[in-house]
Amino acid sequence: MIKATNIHKYYNDLHVLKGVHLNIQKGEIVSIVGASGAGKTTLLQILGTLDRASSKDHSTLHINNVDILGLSDKNLAKFRNEHIGFIFQFHQLLPEFTALENVCLPAFIKKTAKADAEKRAKELLNFLGLSHRYNHKPGELSGGEQQRVAVARALINNPELIFADEPSGNLDSESAENLHNLFFKLRDEFGQTFVIVTHNEELADMADRKLVMVDGKIV
Ligand SMILES: Nc1ncnc2c1ncn2[C@@H]1O[C@H](COP(=O)(O)OP(=O)(O)O)[C@@H](O)[C@H]1O
Ligand SMILES: [Mg+2]
């Protein structure tokens, strides 16, 4: 599903990723742990195609056998919209839109018809226990509910691959546990692949595989 070799990233003089090699199978749940500043978010953004690896190190990145580093920005955005979902620590929902509208956005970007998008969004919200919250705005939802709306948004285009960066970093322990169980339920029901950066040891240990990042490398 994901094959990365020799991924480097520099921010001016700062060498943040120092040659990351990674191979993730379809349907796998992989956690990435490591100290703050180790480069976890930077790596996730590159694997998730939101950022590009440095081009001078002969890096390679293949997702679903597509040569990601060879795509134009336009094709990269299309690939991301169709194949990848993101869940962030701060849910990043749009405050002036309802839960249903937030969930539909990636489908609208993909030019899915409104009725089809809303049908799928409602299915997801129902699946996530939010059938009574379609028309609530993020400010009217609890933290756990907001994060589940963000999960529904990540899933609306049926991505094969989901990246989560500290998804439960902002949740109470019960909401966090529910969210973690949800990831496994989704994998079991829909076969999605998850790459999850987390400081939550329980979640990190639940994963099929735990990767540890130290100073820009996976050790
Ligand atoms: N846009 C940026 N510009 C400059 N330095 C950055 C930028 N983003 C991250 N960094 C630096 O890169 C290093 C790794 O950051 P990050 O990937 O966010 O680590 P982590 O997620 O493991 O805490 C840190 O030293 C951070 O300050
Ligand atoms: Mg981070």
Side-chain angles (χ1 to χ4, degrees):
M1 170 64 68
I2 307 177
K3 222 180 169 124
T5 62
N6 204 35
I7 301 288
H8 287 259
K9 181 75 186 180
Y10 307 81
Y11 289 114
N12 301 316
D13 292 343
L14 191 65
H15 194 180
V16 176
L17 296 180
K18 299 176 179 170
V20 173
H21 299 262
L22 197 70
N23 224 325
I24 295 176
Q25 307 302 318
K26 182 172 167 37
E28 227 187 340
I29 296 187
V30 173
S31 61
I32 301 178
V33 301
S36 178
K40 304 180 299 297
T41 293
T42 303
L43 177 62
L44 209 69
Q45 303 260 332
I46 289 173
L47 297 177
T49 76
L50 290 168
D51 195 3
R52 286 184 186 269
S54 143
S55 55
K56 62 183 181 193
D57 294 287
H58 305 291
S59 316
T60 66
L61 174 60
H62 289 82
I63 300 178
N64 273 351
N65 294 319
V66 174
D67 177 6
I68 297 298
L69 302 183
L71 293 179
S72 66
D73 287 347
K74 185 168 169 243
N75 286 332
L76 195 59
K78 183 165 187 289
F79 181 88
R80 187 186 312 128
N81 176 251
E82 291 175 359
H83 298 279
I84 298 178
F86 293 93
I87 302 165
F88 303 97
Q89 174 174 2
F90 300 100
H91 48 79
Q92 302 192 350
L93 299 173
L94 298 178
E96 64 276 34
F97 290 94
T98 65
L100 189 66
E101 290 165 342
N102 268 286
V103 174
C104 285
L105 279 179
F108 293 154
I109 290 169
K110 196 182 164 186
K111 301 197 162 55
T112 304
K114 185 159 185 265
D116 293 338
E118 287 187 347
K119 180 166 175 277
R120 173 77 183 137
K122 284 178 180 174
E123 282 169 11
L124 285 166
L125 289 168
N126 297 350
F127 177 78
L128 296 170
L130 292 167
S131 55
H132 53 316
R133 294 284 184 270
Y134 294 163
N135 297 315
H136 286 63
K137 294 187 177 168
E140 301 163 343
L141 299 170
S142 73
E145 287 173 333
Q146 290 175 21
Q147 197 56 305
R148 278 181 283 150
V149 174
V151 171
R153 181 186 56 185
L155 295 175
I156 184 125
N157 287 341
N158 297 318
E160 301 100 301
L161 186 53
I162 295 174
F163 292 96
D165 195 354
E166 312 268 6
S168 49
N170 215 20
L171 298 179
D172 61 79
S173 56
E174 192 188 337
S175 301
E177 196 183 330
N178 289 338
L179 183 71
H180 300 161
N181 289 332
L182 174 66
F183 292 156
F184 288 82
K185 189 170 158 192
L186 289 167
R187 186 269 298 273
D188 294 343
E189 290 202 17
F190 304 114
Q192 275 140 339
T193 307
F194 284 81
V195 183
I196 307 171
V197 167
T198 187
H199 282 126
N200 184 298
E201 285 182 29
E202 212 175 315
L203 173 59
D205 291 334
M206 278 164 85
D208 302 324
R209 200 144 55 93
K210 177 163 88 172
L211 304 176
V212 181
M213 260 195 107
V214 178
D215 194 22
K217 282 186 170 174
I218 289 173
V219 295

